Amino acid sequence: MADRFLEISLVKREVTGIARLLDERAPITCEAVWKSLPLSGDVYHAKYARNEVYALFPPFADREPPLENPTVTPIPGDLCYFTFSGAELGTTSYGYDREVRPGGTVVDLALFYERNNLLLNGDVGWVPGIVWGQVVEGLDALADACNDLWRTGAAGETLSFRRA
């Protein structure tokens, strides 16, 4: 199979990078994401994992991918896929109570933009993610924009994924 690429963007900040799908390591997840593109949603900056931005989506796969190519220590440029139940995220302490409902399911597509990340949540423990893509172009500009998002706020910003 030929390599597949996507664009990942912070739309308001007009910053885009290119990522390669890791089909050889996470084929089921890559196919589910690829078939669902384009995807776009409100961006959040992580509270626990450190150097992560992400968007939440309704489930889009025919069935949720297994935990292929898992990590709890993502590196700069990793794109990760997480699935959470609404009961895990549907509280005001997380700030998603408008988007996530108990009894529902949500998919989290994340970009890790710097080092020293640890997927450990004080409420539930380790939260392994599926590494399904790697930014191969534009990571420095994305990291600068993500740091700006951390410092100035995410309100009004969108994280977008589309085929390149």
Side-chain angles (χ1 to χ4, degrees), residues 45-53 112-119 150:
H45 196 288
K47 287 183 177 181
Y48 302 106
R50 258 184 100 144
N51 302 300
E52 171 194 7
V53 296
F112 291 85
Y113 63 89
E114 187 49 81
R115 303 168 22 122
N116 300 322
N117 303 295
L118 187 62
L119 301 179
W150 171 251

Side-chain angles (χ1 to χ4, degrees), residues 139-160:
L139 182 59
D140 289 343
L142 282 168
D144 287 346
C146 291
N147 275 315
D148 179 64
L149 189 140
W150 171 251
R151 292 179 47 89
T152 64
E157 182 61 90
T158 303
L159 185 62
S160 175

Side-chain angles (χ1 to χ4, degrees), residues 36-91:
S36 70
L37 296 176
L39 290 167
S40 187
D42 291 342
V43 68
Y44 296 91
H45 196 288
K47 287 183 177 181
Y48 302 106
R50 258 184 100 144
N51 302 300
E52 171 194 7
V53 296
Y54 58 96
L56 302 175
F57 302 98
F60 50 76
D62 296 331
R63 62 182 175 80
E64 283 306 305
L67 191 58
E68 52 186 3
N69 199 31
T71 191
V72 293
T73 55
I75 61 172
D78 276 353
L79 299 179
C80 288
Y81 180 109
F82 304 89
T83 303
F84 297 104
S85 73
E88 291 174 292
L89 297 181
T91 65

Side-chain angles (χ1 to χ4, degrees), residues 5 9 14 34 60 106 132 160:
F5 296 89
S9 303
E14 299 181 350
W34 188 254
F60 50 76
V106 66
W132 59 273
S160 175

